[in-house]
Amino acid sequence: MRSAVIALVVFVAVSRSDFLLPFQLSDDLINYTAQLEQPINNETVCPLAQLNYCQYSFNMNFGLNSSITYSNGSDIFSTIQNYMNMNTTELNKVCKARTNFYHCLGHSYFTCMNLHTRLQSNNTDSSNGFDYVRTFRSLEWICGGGLRDANNQFTSFGSFSNSTIYQGCMTTFNQTATTNNFCSSVQATGNCLSSANSNSTGQAAAGRFGCESFRYTFNKACPGLQC
Ligand SMILES: *[C@@H]1O[C@H](CO)[C@@H](O)[C@H](O)[C@H]1NC(C)=O
Ligand SMILES: *[C@@H]1O[C@H](CO)[C@@H](O)[C@H](O)[C@H]1NC(C)=O
Ligand SMILES: *[C@@H]1O[C@H](CO)[C@@H](O)[C@H](O)[C@H]1NC(C)=O
Ligand SMILES: *[C@@H]1O[C@H](CO)[C@@H](O)[C@H](O)[C@H]1NC(C)=O
Ligand SMILES: *[C@@H]1O[C@H](CO)[C@@H](O)[C@H](O)[C@H]1NC(C)=O
Ligand SMILES: *[C@@H]1O[C@H](CO)[C@@H](O)[C@H](O)[C@H]1NC(C)=O
Ligand SMILES: *[C@@H]1O[C@H](CO)[C@@H](O)[C@H](O)[C@H]1NC(C)=O
Ligand SMILES: *[C@@H]1O[C@H](CO)[C@@H](O)[C@H](O)[C@H]1NC(C)=O
Ligand SMILES: *[C@@H]1O[C@H](CO)[C@@H](O)[C@H](O)[C@H]1NC(C)=O
């Protein structure tokens, strides 16, 4: 199983078509994002036994090692990335598994899918916690409002993150985002991705797709931003 995962990672490193937008965020900014998401009341308990069960069921679809949990977010991110990039059949399989996962957790989905809550668990470091949450948040968009376009424009939208204009938007984000301007940087990056993707494909829908794919990761920390 482990070697299958590694082989897939190599595959994507070569083909570079990434529906889950690839970018790095410093631990400082991940922690800041978590702070912005900190739950304010008691409707915040994530039932870990249930989360583990639902995650296990989700993992079965992708040959993930049964010991992989919400603490191993980076492995989950790269595995889901690889499946979605294969073809639309596999992308829809990811979305079906995601729907089952969502129903499995029921109203606990949102309390479990909280970056602050995830980083509170003692065995999850910042990047694994962030990768976990951003995987499922991105799927909320790709498998929801973005699904029809993801299917119809699979090759074009999937390869957006391979473009130099995508890289340009993300380099600016990387170099300018701080805890003092975080949410406005997220908005500016969404705007940049929107205009970059529209420019490269000549389609407004592409701009929205690129922007939302990014914004959904931060929609809890920075509510009210728009694409
Ligand atoms: C920018 O990206 C690099 C890796 O490409 C990462 O190490 C660094 O933490 C990022 N900076 C911010 C502010 O996210
Ligand atoms: C981020 O938060 C984690 C856990 O909450 C902590 O262990 C880590 O030291 C923090 N990192 C930074 C750079 O503040
Ligand atoms: C939160 O839960 C604790 C224990 O169940 C309870 O004592 C407390 O009053 C609750 N607080 C709120 C704001 O509901
Ligand atoms: C799962 O991963 C652990 C730790 O890497 C390893 O010890 C174990 O053999 C793996 N299990 C399976 C079924 O691949
Ligand atoms: C998953 O994460 C836990 C906690 O960090 C770690 O102990 C374990 O080795 C990881 N499992 C795999 C298969 O990498
Ligand atoms: C999609 O990709 C999977 C894995 O590579 C492959 O088994 C399957 O035949 C492909 N399906 C289509 C319709 O291309
Ligand atoms: C983390 O560890 C502390 C101290 O051992 C413990 O009180 C707390 O319940 C643990 N949190 C989780 C989510 O396991
Ligand atoms: C990614 O970009 C490189 C260089 O611009 C190009 O050779 C390659 O074909 C692109 N891959 C995809 C999947 O678009
Ligand atoms: C998209 O095209 C417009 C008009 O040519 C230009 O002003 C804008 O800077 C371009 N956006 C990006 C991200 O390249």
Side-chain angles (χ1 to χ4, degrees):
M1 284 306 147
R2 191 94 191 131
S3 64
V5 170
I6 290 165
L8 291 170
V9 169
V10 171
F11 167 76
V12 141
V14 172
S15 80
R16 299 293 323 157
S17 109
D18 294 334
F19 272 95
L20 300 180
L21 295 181
F23 64 92
Q24 293 212 334
L25 198 58
S26 66
D27 284 353
D28 269 347
L29 287 178
I30 291 174
N31 284 7
Y32 182 68
T33 304
Q35 200 182 311
L36 291 176
E37 294 189 11
Q38 179 165 9
I40 48 172
N41 61 33
N42 268 359
E43 293 170 38
T44 56
V45 179
C46 167
L48 285 181
Q50 189 182 359
L51 178 58
N52 277 326
Y53 169 76
C54 299
Q55 188 65 53
Y56 176 80
S57 307
F58 179 86
N59 289 354
M60 300 266 282
N61 296 287
F62 308 108
L64 275 165
N65 184 318
S66 59
S67 70
I68 298 275
T69 72
Y70 58 82
S71 292
N72 310 100
S74 301
D75 282 343
I76 294 171
F77 179 93
S78 55
T79 301
I80 295 310
Q81 179 80 289
N82 291 323
Y83 271 92
M84 282 203 296
N85 292 341
M86 285 174 184
N87 51 46
T88 55
T89 309
E90 301 302 315
L91 183 142
N92 287 294
K93 180 173 150 189
V94 167
C95 289
K96 184 160 181 277
R98 182 260 161 200
T99 300
N100 291 339
F101 176 77
Y102 179 77
H103 287 148
C104 178
L105 280 169
H107 63 77
S108 299
Y109 173 83
F110 292 101
T111 59
C112 291
M113 209 50 67
N114 180 289
L115 185 56
H116 189 270
T117 305
R118 293 276 51 80
L119 296 187
Q120 290 282 297
S121 64
N122 297 323
N123 55 0
T124 307
D125 62 31
S126 298
S127 57
N128 274 294
F130 182 63
D131 283 348
Y132 185 74
V133 169
R134 68 166 157 166
T135 299
F136 285 99
R137 294 237 177 102
S138 300
L139 293 181
E140 285 171 29
W141 162 249
I142 297 166
C143 299
L147 184 59
R148 203 173 62 160
D149 283 335
N151 274 300
N152 291 341
Q153 309 283 341
F154 180 80
T155 307
S156 157
F157 288 11
S159 57
F160 172 52
S161 65
N162 192 37
S163 64
T164 49
I165 39 182
Y166 169 82
Q167 303 293 344
C169 295
M170 299 318 292
T171 300
T172 303
F173 178 63
N174 181 280
Q175 289 172 356
T176 59
T178 68
T179 54
N180 292 323
N181 66 8
F182 189 68
C183 289
S184 60
S185 293
V186 170
Q187 177 72 65
T189 305
N191 294 346
C192 182
L193 293 174
S194 180
S195 117
N197 208 3
S198 302
N199 286 6
S200 68
T201 62
Q203 297 178 60
R208 171 129 194 266
F209 191 89
C211 177
E212 294 289 20
S213 297
F214 180 72
R215 188 187 68 84
Y216 263 62
T217 293
F218 301 104
N219 65 2
K220 183 83 179 143
C222 302
L225 302 186
Q226 291 186 337
C227 283

